[in-house]
Amino acid sequence: MSEPFRRVPEGIALDLPESLRTWLAEQAQLAGEDAVRMDDPVHRRILGPINPTVDHDDPLDELQRQFAIEGALAVLITTAHTEVLSEEEAEDWIRALQLILAATAARHALHTEDDLAALNQEATTAVTTLQAGISLLIEALDG
Amino acid sequence: MDGTDTGLYGSTDTLQRLDSPWDVVLWNDPVSLISLVVRVLRKLFGYDLAKAEKLTMQVHNEGKAIVWTGEKEKAAAYCVALHGYALAATIQPTA
């Protein structure tokens, strides 16, 4: 079986099933939409306060964070069906996979290891798929 | 202790507070992989493997760890960078 992420001279080659690529792009889109809804648990998890000792964070910090998050998710969405990622795109994929993972955790109110153990089968598959992707991509990038 | 009055800039106590160090606190979460956290700490802060692993295990075992201390603006920038990897982090004045 070929490796899902493999280093090649141009960057990182992707060998992922089309269904997985489509699912990842959909999840990235969903994470981005949920992250900007103030009352959504995904917003609280991904865009929670930087400095909880004050009422409002520095607007510049908030803006930079929002750009970074939206940028990484956008890269995954636009390159979901590509064959080879550049180094920068691969780094954005790690960020995006992490953001999708955090969004999934927030939707299922995963705060502890016990919460994780009690998760339903579908959500467990989503979490383990994302974790495996992050792990394999790190290996390909740094290995 | 009373600080020296420096006019528009307030007392030296105020200036002292503005210069006081801030901590970047990294919080545990049940889904982020240890390997990812170690990698991010090395990449963002330039820590060697041993220090990054030690801090990551402190986060994992104790629920949080102070991963950096210094100037407030820089602490906020590091916090933003950690959030870019969906890691739960906050800043606080150093106790």
Side-chain angles (χ1 to χ4, degrees):
Chain A
M1 200 179 114
S2 66
E3 299 167 60
F5 303 102
R6 183 169 44 88
R7 179 165 283 287
V8 293
E10 301 81 17
I12 302 294
L14 305 182
D15 188 4
L16 304 172
E18 278 305 305
S19 57
L20 179 56
R21 292 170 183 260
T22 301
W23 180 77
L24 289 173
E26 287 170 356
Q27 292 302 308
Q29 182 74 39
L30 193 59
E33 288 168 4
D34 289 351
V36 293
R37 271 197 286 273
M38 300 291 277
D39 58 342
D40 198 290
V42 174
H43 172 82
R44 287 193 292 276
R45 171 63 183 81
I46 291 177
L47 293 169
I50 292 166
N51 179 3
T53 65
V54 294
D55 288 341
H56 299 286
D57 282 323
D58 183 321
L60 187 60
D61 289 338
E62 285 201 53
L63 203 60
Q64 283 177 336
R65 180 174 59 171
Q66 204 164 331
F67 277 152
I69 288 168
E70 286 173 359
L73 292 171
V75 167
L76 190 148
I77 292 166
T78 55
T79 59
H81 297 276
T82 198
E83 296 302 315
V84 179
L85 298 173
S86 69
E87 295 272 336
E88 280 184 7
E89 288 168 342
E91 195 64 39
D92 278 330
W93 265 59
I94 290 180
R95 290 194 185 95
L97 292 172
Q98 265 289 114
L99 288 161
I100 296 169
L101 183 59
T104 304
R107 280 187 210 108
H108 292 89
L110 297 182
H111 304 297
T112 66
E113 311 286 336
D114 289 342
D115 296 335
L116 190 58
L119 204 55
N120 68 48
Q121 187 58 51
E122 189 184 348
T124 301
T125 302
V127 168
T128 53
T129 299
L130 291 163
Q131 287 176 328
I134 291 163
S135 181
L136 291 167
L137 190 47
I138 287 175
E139 249 177 63
L141 262 174
D142 301 347
Chain B
M1 191 179 84
D2 289 332
T4 306
D5 186 3
T6 54
L8 287 173
Y9 296 97
S11 70
T12 49
D13 282 352
T14 307
L15 292 173
Q16 180 73 34
R17 279 197 296 276
L18 288 172
D19 283 346
S20 296
W22 284 65
D23 298 328
V24 178
V25 183
L26 183 60
W27 300 84
N28 189 40
D29 76 72
V31 292
S32 292
L33 296 170
I34 286 173
S35 58
L36 180 281
V37 179
V38 170
R39 183 180 187 273
V40 171
L41 291 178
R42 294 191 72 187
K43 190 177 177 67
L44 294 186
F45 299 99
Y47 294 154
D48 61 30
L49 180 61
K51 181 165 185 179
E53 282 180 343
K54 188 181 172 191
L55 286 169
T56 300
M57 292 320 293
Q58 193 183 340
V59 171
H60 185 71
N61 295 325
E62 299 173 24
K64 64 176 180 176
I66 294 169
V67 295
W68 189 84
T69 298
E71 190 186 325
K72 185 182 179 186
E73 285 72 21
K74 212 166 175 186
Y78 277 134
C79 193
V80 166
L82 287 165
H83 286 196
Y85 283 91
L87 294 176
T90 52
I91 62 169
Q92 64 184 27
T94 301

